[in-house]
Amino acid sequence: FSAQLRAFALAQIAPVADDIDARDVYPVEPIRALARAGYTGIALPRESGGGGHGFRDLLDVFEDVSCHSAAVG
């Protein structure tokens, strides 16, 4: 899980992070990419459409994404 998440953040978040900060905009596309990859509802139960992961994995998402862009994380 962690390696896949780090690769996602590096490929999808890192390249646009400086532009997000420079333009001071809400990062709609990176957040949509997080949702498409299944990271936004990761701690919700599977029966509710979430990922069924624990809060530790949710923390990993916040940490790895915020490492590249605080605006997205």
Side-chain angles (χ1 to χ4, degrees), residues 8-23:
F8 173 86
L10 188 60
Q12 299 290 321
I13 308 300
V16 297
D18 287 340
D19 184 55
I20 290 168
D21 290 342
R23 293 187 306 126

Side-chain angles (χ1 to χ4, degrees), residues 32-59:
R32 284 185 180 153
L34 280 167
R36 283 191 299 272
Y39 292 120
T40 56
I42 199 164
L44 294 173
R46 289 187 191 278
E47 54 272 7
S48 298
H53 290 261
F55 286 106
R56 176 65 193 148
D57 287 341
L58 179 61
L59 177 62

